[in-house]
Amino acid sequence: MFDPKQVNFIINDEHADAENGGDFIPLFSKQEEDEINKEKLPEELPILPIRNTVLFPGVVFPITVGRDKSIKLIKEANKGNKIIGVCAQKDSSVEDPGAEDLYPVGTMAVIMKVLRMPDGNTTLIIQGRRKFQLGAITQVEPYLRAKITPLDDIKIKEDKGFRALMDTLKETALQIIELSPNIPSEAATAIRNIDSNRFLVNFAASNLNVDIKDKQEILNSDSLKQRAELVLEHLTRELQMVELKDQIQNKVRTDIDKQQKEYFLQQQIRAIQEELGQESPDKEIQSLRDKGNEKIWSKEVHEHFNRELDRILRINPASPDYSVGLNYVQLLLDLPWGDYSLDSFDVAHAAKILDEDHFGLEKVKKRILEYLAVIKLKGDMKSPIICLYGPPGVGKTSLGRSIARAIGRKYVRMSLGGLHDESEIRGHRKTYIGAMPGRIIQNLKKAGTSNPVFVLDEVDKMGRDFRGDPSSALLEVLDPEQNTHFYDNYIEVDYDLSKVMFIATANNLDSIQPALLDRMEVIEIAGYTVEEKIQIAKKYLVPKQREAHGLKASDLKLGDKVIEAIVDQYTLESGVRGLEKRIATIARYLARKKVSGEAYKASLSIADIQLILGSEKIEREQYEDNDHAGVVTGLAWSQSGGSVLFVESAITAGKGNLVLTGQLGDVMKESATLARTFIKSKAHILGIDSSLFDAVDIHIHFPAGAIPKDGPSAGVTILTALASLFTQRKVRAKLAMTGEITLRGKVLPVGGIKEKILAAKRAGITDVLLCEGNRKDIEDINPDYVRDMRFHYVKNMEEVLDIALTKEQVSLPIDLASFIKKAVETKS
């Protein structure tokens, strides 16, 4: 009782506030009380619901009115006899209470004053008069009205026992005020000035710091003696708490330092919590211990958890280490130890899901379905570590989400691009300020299971600096033999990651640490063909962009030829991100037309597409002719897909130098040196005067000089160009080639065959020369994509020249003999 917040509060029909404590001084004497009891109550009253407190007879309250019904009630009552009925709400959260939401016993009140506050609210001062029993509701709108029945206290004999009870009640209240330095002295003056026993009880009850149901119980009592006993019971409990608080203050008042002060404050909190029946720190620790006993974890982890709880109990609760320890044990409880989601072993269903979400990618789908089949047969299996490798935009990341949906697991994605700090993987030691677990553990906590599909995105783009090497930290995570005991620096106990299905994605395997790459099963996702892109656009991209731009199926229609034109003329990529952006541009154009009310065509033609997307077309290389000696068509691969690559060569009088241009890398320059050496060694077979090599300079150029080029796959192309140049023989018409050469004359296989072959087909090539070792790559390509194309497989460089060079000379052959003679004369 008489807490400052209780003595100085405003009873608000929205909430209890803290204002105007002086309004609680009694405003009438015992004689006036007797006159009020003789008043005749009306049979019906407007009912004002209030929250968080109970109005007692004789008590004066300021009330801030906020609800519309309450404002209407006050305005009408203030114009009339100013008498209203006040009932407490059972549940303060109810915004529009009915009769069933109110306590049946209320208090008749008189409006003493109505004030308009600066904040726009209406505040009124009311005085409680007499109790009543709530009867039938006669009106609901615009506010409640109800029949009432007056309730009078049972008359009792005010004997010595009753007078002693009242004296004890008053004395207890005054003791509480005296022991509480924050309670104003006006409260004691108010109590001493009360000469009415009934009002003394009501005044004390009104200011009790108890629940509303306890106050309502006091109001319901029809005996003043019983009501006084209930109030005294609450006052006595409050006095005991105040005395205990005072005792604690006296114990720690002498020579108190910072640590003792913290302990004193915590003791106060504990004493108050125990008195109020709330959970003390000891009980909180016991609650955590009980939760730990229910967890499914190993004996070692359970013992470690209990040791941490024992350590926390020895720490001063006011110390920062206490909250750090609580956060740590709470994390241990939140981690999904032994919680696994049930896998779906329905291979047919999984295949259906994968086909719904992604077009093509048959190798990846096959591997996932094989894994499901094995786990269904064996019943248990360590999850594989898969690395999806391929160019951007082919669906590597989204494939992880589809796999999770197919097998019924939770999905987690962690981006590793630009990651430099090893602690992001392994966490920080909890002795550091702001320490937290690594992102592996954090994501498992977020997923809620220990076997999610965990996508490690852009694993090839991690860095390393003074903070450590994250790729080395991943070695333990991605090793099926080690990740059963993954150690995070923060949790300090082993965590089993063997059931997690890790799927890494990468664009370039060269930048991945070899030891890390060795732990993963690499599945290459090649770029999409034009035919595949058309199907992807029709099935996924166009519907997605229609929905994203608020268009209906009838508002945007793209045919196969139109999509092919977009792919061929406006994109240069292996994936479909650029294609999706172009479709989005078209969708925005049509959306603007539709909103503006302008006429537009839903079924767009190629001409319409060119009008919408503009003139920024991509000029692809096309096969031209074979009329020039020393010009050969090669095939190249980049992250944007395959393309044709022309090799141009020329000879000039000089001193046997080799000049290379076109922004070439070291490997490509070495291929040119190898090709020249081989041609020089086979000059007698090819009918070339060997003295020519020392008398002329050779210039080899690779067009598109602004684009960096490197790799060994242009070896056979450079070889053919030099042989054609020195022999002036034509190259086979519509022939392209790719392959690595060696000094011994071998031709080695190269990568990116599928993309290169498709690029050759787009360029009008009909014959492709490549290494015998690449035959298997051709067999993996859909036969429909390579229809009408011929493939020539070779093992050595002689076979390359036999196939590539014809017997026919160019139309204007160079007189090599005259050229040599002239070059020698110039040299001499």
Side-chain angles (χ1 to χ4, degrees):
M1 176 189 174
F2 298 114
D3 182 275
K5 293 182 179 179
Q6 286 294 115
V7 174
N8 296 317
F9 71 85
I10 291 179
I11 303 304
N12 187 337
D13 72 334
E14 301 297 338
H15 61 279
D17 209 340
E19 293 284 337
N20 305 330
D23 292 327
F24 292 103
I25 297 177
L27 298 180
F28 59 85
S29 63
K30 188 176 185 305
Q31 179 181 357
E32 292 171 325
E33 178 188 356
D34 294 335
E35 293 176 1
I36 290 173
N37 290 334
K38 295 177 182 179
E39 290 180 357
K40 184 178 181 181
L41 289 178
E43 295 181 357
E44 182 178 316
L45 284 178
I47 303 301
L48 176 67
I50 62 174
R51 296 174 175 173
N52 301 326
T53 195
V54 176
L55 176 63
F56 288 82
V59 178
V60 177
F61 276 143
I63 295 179
T64 299
V65 181
R67 292 188 282 225
D68 292 338
K69 285 187 174 183
S70 301
I71 294 173
K72 292 177 182 179
L73 185 152
I74 296 305
K75 287 183 178 179
E76 293 191 17
N78 194 42
K79 294 177 182 179
N81 59 8
K82 301 182 183 297
I83 297 176
I84 62 175
V86 177
C87 292
Q89 287 184 215
K90 297 177 182 177
D91 184 358
S92 61
S93 64
V94 178
E95 290 297 326
D96 188 13
E100 67 281 0
D101 300 314
L102 304 177
Y103 284 104
V105 177
T107 304
M108 184 195 77
V110 175
I111 299 175
M112 303 180 65
K113 185 177 291 187
V114 178
L115 303 173
R116 188 71 175 175
M117 304 306 290
D119 60 359
N121 289 328
T122 300
T123 300
L124 66 150
I125 299 175
I126 61 173
Q127 181 187 39
R129 292 286 184 159
R130 293 179 63 183
K131 294 194 302 180
F132 63 82
Q133 177 75 35
L134 193 65
I137 301 297
T138 60
Q139 175 183 304
V140 176
E141 295 295 338
Y143 51 81
L144 288 176
R145 289 184 68 89
K147 299 283 186 180
I148 64 167
T149 304
L151 296 176
D152 294 321
D153 291 340
I154 300 173
K155 292 185 179 182
I156 60 171
K157 184 179 179 180
E158 297 186 358
D159 54 9
K160 291 182 180 179
F162 178 79
R163 287 193 293 273
L165 174 63
M166 298 307 299
D167 290 340
T168 303
L169 188 149
K170 180 179 290 189
E171 183 179 344
T172 303
L174 292 173
Q175 285 179 338
I176 294 174
I177 295 172
E178 183 180 354
L179 290 173
S180 302
N182 294 326
I183 297 179
S185 59
E186 288 83 359
T189 304
I191 291 177
R192 291 190 182 97
N193 289 337
I194 297 175
D195 60 357
S196 167
N197 289 331
R198 181 175 287 103
F199 182 67
L200 175 62
V201 174
N202 290 346
F203 181 73
S206 179
N207 289 280
L208 283 174
N209 187 16
V210 295
D211 293 334
I212 187 171
K213 63 179 180 180
D214 295 323
K215 286 189 177 183
Q216 187 66 37
E217 180 184 0
I218 296 172
L219 181 65
N220 292 347
S221 175
D222 57 359
S223 169
L224 180 59
K225 183 178 180 181
Q226 183 183 5
R227 196 154 61 244
E229 289 173 348
L230 289 173
V231 173
L232 181 59
E233 180 183 346
H234 291 292
L235 287 176
T236 302
R237 190 180 294 112
E238 183 71 14
L239 178 61
Q240 291 174 352
M241 188 191 74
V242 173
E243 288 176 342
L244 179 60
K245 178 179 177 182
D246 189 64
Q247 291 174 4
I248 296 173
Q249 290 174 335
N250 291 332
K251 287 180 183 178
V252 297
R253 189 171 291 127
T254 306
D255 298 329
I256 189 168
D257 59 13
K258 182 179 179 181
Q259 184 175 0
Q260 290 173 324
K261 182 178 179 181
E262 292 174 352
Y263 176 78
F264 155 67
L265 294 173
Q266 189 60 34
Q267 286 298 104
Q268 281 186 303
I269 294 173
R270 286 190 176 185
I272 293 171
Q273 287 175 331
E274 291 175 359
E275 190 66 29
L276 296 177
Q278 297 180 0
E279 193 176 72
S280 65
D282 293 346
K283 292 182 179 179
E284 183 180 5
I285 298 300
Q286 184 59 43
S287 175
L288 293 173
R289 198 183 301 273
D290 293 340
K291 292 179 181 178
N293 293 332
E294 299 174 0
K295 293 289 288 185
I296 305 173
W297 46 22
S298 65
K299 179 181 177 181
E300 292 76 12
V301 177
H302 198 180
E303 291 176 350
H304 176 79
F305 176 78
N306 286 326
R307 283 197 301 271
E308 285 296 318
L309 291 180
D310 295 338
R311 187 182 68 84
I312 293 172
L313 282 174
R314 298 191 295 270
I315 301 175
N316 186 344
S319 170
D321 290 340
Y322 186 83
S323 60
V324 171
L326 279 182
N327 291 337
Y328 174 70
V329 296
Q330 189 63 56
L331 172 69
L332 292 180
L333 286 174
D334 291 341
L335 286 175
W337 304 88
D339 294 336
Y340 301 103
S341 58
L342 295 177
D343 291 335
S344 173
F345 301 135
D346 190 342
V347 178
H349 172 72
K352 179 181 177 182
I353 295 296
L354 294 175
D355 289 337
E356 284 179 358
D357 293 348
H358 292 82
F359 185 85
L361 307 181
E362 300 303 330
K363 289 176 63 177
V364 184
K365 295 176 183 177
K366 178 183 176 183
R367 177 65 185 90
I368 299 302
L369 296 178
E370 289 173 350
Y371 163 68
L372 292 180
V374 172
I375 203 173
K376 183 175 182 179
L377 292 174
K378 192 170 183 294
D380 184 24
M381 176 180 173
K382 290 184 178 180
S383 291
I385 311 297
I386 297 173
C387 179
L388 302 179
Y389 154 63
V394 295
K396 299 185 298 298
T397 304
S398 61
L399 188 62
R401 187 185 299 275
S402 297
I403 293 171
R405 189 162 75 95
I407 64 179
R409 291 191 181 186
K410 293 292 185 68
Y411 170 78
V412 177
R413 175 183 170 272
M414 175 179 169
S415 177
L416 299 177
L419 195 69
H420 288 78
D421 193 349
E422 179 186 343
S423 298
E424 292 288 331
I425 306 296
R426 288 191 174 276
H428 309 79
R429 297 192 180 278
K430 65 177 186 289
T431 53
Y432 297 125
I433 296 175
M436 61 180 64
R439 290 169 64 183
I440 300 290
I441 295 297
Q442 290 184 43
N443 280 293
L444 288 178
K445 174 187 171 184
K446 178 181 177 182
T449 64
S450 292
N451 65 335
V453 172
F454 203 124
V455 174
L456 299 171
D457 215 3
E458 310 293 354
V459 72
D460 58 324
K461 295 179 177 60
M462 287 185 293
R464 58 184 299 179
D465 57 16
F466 64 93
R467 290 168 291 187
D469 183 4
S471 62
S472 297
L474 277 179
L475 293 177
E476 182 184 8
V477 176
L478 299 183
D479 191 338
E481 299 301 324
Q482 298 182 37
N483 62 12
T484 53
H485 301 286
F486 172 68
Y487 185 86
D488 186 278
N489 291 326
Y490 184 82
I491 64 174
E492 296 181 340
V493 289
D494 293 339
Y495 196 95
D496 185 3
L497 299 180
S498 62
K499 301 298 189 296
V500 179
M501 187 174 185
F502 287 103
I503 299 178
T505 71
N507 300 128
N508 183 11
L509 298 180
D510 295 337
S511 58
I512 301 177
Q513 188 180 128
L516 182 60
L517 186 62
D518 182 63
R519 283 162 165 77
M520 299 185 291
E521 179 181 347
V522 177
I523 300 177
E524 183 177 0
I525 302 180
Y528 296 112
T529 65
V530 175
E531 292 79 6
E532 289 173 333
K533 290 182 179 181
I534 292 173
Q535 296 303 317
I536 292 172
K538 290 171 61 178
K539 293 182 178 180
Y540 305 102
L541 304 185
V542 173
K544 177 182 176 182
Q545 292 305 319
R546 274 201 300 250
E547 181 180 355
H549 293 83
L551 298 174
K552 299 179 181 178
S554 58
D555 294 329
L556 173 58
K557 298 178 182 178
L558 297 178
D560 291 2
K561 293 296 183 182
V562 174
I563 297 175
E564 183 178 358
I566 297 174
V567 172
D568 189 56
Q569 299 177 16
Y570 293 95
T571 65
L572 185 62
E573 58 179 351
S574 295
V576 291
R577 281 205 185 102
L579 176 58
E580 185 173 9
K581 292 176 183 177
R582 301 299 178 269
I583 295 174
T585 302
I586 296 170
R588 288 194 299 272
Y589 175 85
L590 295 180
R592 183 179 66 83
K593 289 283 188 180
K594 184 176 181 179
V595 171
S596 302
E598 301 179 32
Y600 66 93
K601 293 194 303 182
S603 298
L604 300 176
S605 64
I606 295 178
D608 296 327
I609 294 301
Q610 293 173 346
L611 178 65
I612 296 171
L613 299 181
S615 59
E616 299 179 2
K617 296 182 181 180
I618 297 173
E619 295 296 335
R620 297 183 184 273
E621 296 286 357
Q622 294 290 326
Y623 177 81
E624 295 177 356
D625 55 53
N626 61 343
D627 293 336
H628 301 278
V631 179
V632 184
T633 305
L635 297 175
W637 179 92
S638 69
Q639 290 190 352
S640 298
S643 61
V644 295
L645 177 70
F646 292 105
V647 176
E648 302 174 350
S649 59
I651 55 175
T652 59
K655 300 179 181 180
N657 296 324
L658 176 63
V659 179
L660 302 171
T661 56
Q663 201 171 160
L664 308 181
D666 292 338
V667 177
M668 191 170 280
K669 292 177 181 178
E670 292 167 358
S671 296
T673 304
L674 285 172
R676 185 183 67 166
T677 302
F678 180 82
I679 294 294
K680 190 174 181 179
S681 67
K682 301 294 182 179
H684 61 286
I685 298 177
L686 296 173
I688 303 173
D689 190 334
S690 58
S691 61
L692 180 63
F693 293 96
D694 296 325
V696 298
D697 290 341
I698 305 172
H699 188 162
I700 304 176
H701 176 65
F702 296 79
I707 301 176
K709 308 171 190 68
D710 200 6
S713 62
V716 294
T717 312
I718 299 172
L719 170 70
T720 304
L722 292 180
S724 173
L725 177 66
F726 281 105
T727 62
Q728 290 294 294
R729 292 161 60 185
K730 283 188 176 183
V731 178
R732 181 193 291 262
K734 295 188 177 182
L735 173 70
M737 58 190 69
T738 182
E740 181 181 355
I741 59 175
T742 70
L743 193 60
R744 294 182 300 160
K746 298 290 185 180
V747 177
L748 304 180
V750 292
I753 295 300
K754 179 181 177 182
E755 290 82 359
K756 292 176 180 178
I757 297 303
L758 297 175
K761 184 177 181 181
R762 288 195 300 268
I765 302 295
T766 59
D767 292 77
V768 178
L769 184 149
L770 64 166
C771 177
E772 176 67 33
N774 289 122
R775 183 186 293 269
K776 63 182 185 303
D777 299 303
I778 300 298
E779 293 173 351
D780 287 340
I781 302 176
N782 189 327
D784 293 336
Y785 299 159
V786 293
R787 187 179 292 116
D788 300 328
M789 295 187 72
R790 292 182 296 274
F791 299 97
H792 306 273
Y793 302 102
V794 297
K795 295 181 179 179
N796 53 61
M797 294 154 75
E798 288 88 348
E799 293 179 4
V800 172
L801 299 182
D802 290 342
I803 295 172
L805 298 181
T806 67
K807 301 297 183 181
E808 184 181 359
Q809 297 286 316
V810 295
S811 55
L812 296 174
I814 298 176
D815 187 349
L816 292 179
S818 302
F819 191 88
I820 294 172
K821 181 179 179 182
K822 189 175 182 180
V824 170
E825 291 175 353
T826 303
K827 184 177 180 180
S828 60

